[in-house]
Amino acid sequence: MKNAVKLLTAGSAIAMVMTASAFAADIYEPQVIETPVYQVPESVPAAVSGWYIRGDVGYSWSKYRGAIYSTPGSSVGSNNLFGEIDEAFSLGGGIGYQANSYLRTDLTVDYDFDSDFTGVTRGSCGRGANCISTDKSTFSALTVMANAYIDLGTYAGFTPYVGAGIGGANVKWGALKNTACDAANPTNCDPTVTHGGSSSWRFAYALMAGFSYDISHKLALDLGYRYKKIEGGYQFASAGGIGRGYDHGFEQHQVRAGLRYKFGGTSYQDPIPDYQPEPIYK
């Protein structure tokens, strides 16, 4: 009898354990699906285009390349005039178009304000065979150019660029006053002779380099250097037995600062905020 009770009790225990295991197997355990974390893209140039206007101020150093003229009894170009042009300020403006994030073009007009010219010649004069003359005049120029620039990418908000331009310059010379004196006695001088100044359009080209910085989505600061070459042309008219003068042109080094106002939208994509969705259970 006792053995039967033991067997019954053991069987009941085994049945209860098996029932609990089966019940536990039927309990649903939710599956967690991990959503990938969104990666924030870097701020990169967007494919934008649009019109802009610009204004610039500059400071120029001009290298005078000399001039030639004739005197009585000499051939044209047998006499040389050497000189220097003082530094001068410039003011300019223009309208341009941003074709994409790396290429832009514009049409600009710049005016170089009057700067003083001082020249020197050597030769014979009324006071002797060996004379030195002092020549005084003024120089100014209005330059019109079509330009193209390549933006080289943006780094910490700064966009370096290189560019080139081609066009023309209207060079205006003031009256040239020439005073020749005996080299051995500088107080023994001929009367001052005044030559009328010349004004003419000449071929010009330029090379540029610099960088810009976006102050806002609409406004950019532009700082740069420009090398400009202006071809030769007539400088002064004949007077007092001196023939017409022809200068060999100029090389100009210029630093400029300006602003560009953009009519289009932002030039760069703003990063999308970091977002991590909650896990989904099902």
Side-chain angles (χ1 to χ4, degrees):
M1 184 64 180
K2 290 182 179 180
N3 291 333
V5 173
K6 289 181 180 180
L7 290 174
L8 181 60
T9 303
S12 299
I14 292 173
M16 291 177 64
V17 171
M18 293 180 64
T19 302
S21 299
F23 180 76
D26 290 338
I27 298 176
Y28 175 76
E29 295 183 0
Q31 180 182 1
V32 178
I33 301 176
E34 296 291 342
T35 303
V37 178
Y38 181 79
Q39 299 295 325
V40 180
E42 296 181 359
S43 179
V44 296
V48 298
S49 63
W51 294 96
Y52 65 86
I53 57 175
R54 65 180 300 160
D56 302 277
V57 295
Y59 193 73
S60 305
W61 294 263
S62 297
K63 181 180 180 182
Y64 179 72
R65 302 179 64 203
I68 55 176
Y69 64 97
S70 63
T71 56
S74 66
S75 61
V76 176
S78 59
N79 296 274
N80 296 294
L81 169 63
F82 304 96
E84 294 182 349
I85 298 174
D86 289 346
E87 297 87 355
F89 287 97
S90 67
L91 183 65
I95 182 170
Y97 187 79
Q98 183 90 36
N100 53 49
S101 299
Y102 303 100
L103 176 65
R104 56 188 171 88
T105 60
D106 57 33
L107 180 67
T108 57
V109 178
D110 296 275
Y111 180 73
D112 294 309
F113 291 96
D114 283 354
S115 55
D116 293 330
F117 168 80
T118 303
V120 176
T121 61
R122 290 181 176 272
S124 62
C125 68
R127 302 300 175 176
N130 184 18
C131 295
I132 299 176
S133 70
T134 301
D135 302 83
K136 299 287 187 180
S137 183
T138 58
F139 162 85
S140 64
L142 178 70
T143 306
V144 180
M145 279 197 170
N147 311 286
Y149 311 86
I150 297 177
D151 292 331
L152 304 176
T154 300
Y155 310 91
F158 294 90
T159 304
Y161 66 83
V162 293
I166 187 172
N170 183 264
V171 175
K172 183 178 181 180
W173 284 104
L176 179 73
K177 295 183 177 182
N178 172 272
T179 304
C181 302
D182 187 351
N185 182 9
T187 62
N188 184 22
C189 303
D190 283 347
T192 297
V193 177
T194 300
H195 301 259
S198 296
S199 177
S200 62
W201 280 97
R202 309 176 182 189
F203 175 76
Y205 67 87
L207 301 173
M208 292 84 74
F211 66 88
S212 63
Y213 181 80
D214 281 346
I215 299 174
S216 68
H217 293 321
K218 295 287 188 179
L219 192 64
L221 173 67
D222 191 310
L223 299 175
Y225 162 80
R226 179 168 75 170
Y227 168 82
K228 183 168 63 177
K229 175 73 175 294
I230 301 176
E231 295 298 323
Y234 286 109
Q235 180 175 350
F236 55 85
S238 59
I242 303 299
R244 195 175 188 184
Y246 181 94
D247 70 69
H248 297 300
F250 316 90
E251 293 179 355
Q252 191 177 78
H253 302 275
Q254 187 179 63
V255 291
R256 301 198 302 170
L259 294 173
R260 299 201 310 265
Y261 180 82
K262 297 171 283 189
F263 293 102
T266 177
S267 299
Y268 295 89
Q269 295 175 343
D270 293 327
I272 300 175
D274 190 6
Y275 172 71
Q276 297 184 8
E278 294 294 330
I280 301 174
Y281 297 93
K282 70 175 187 177

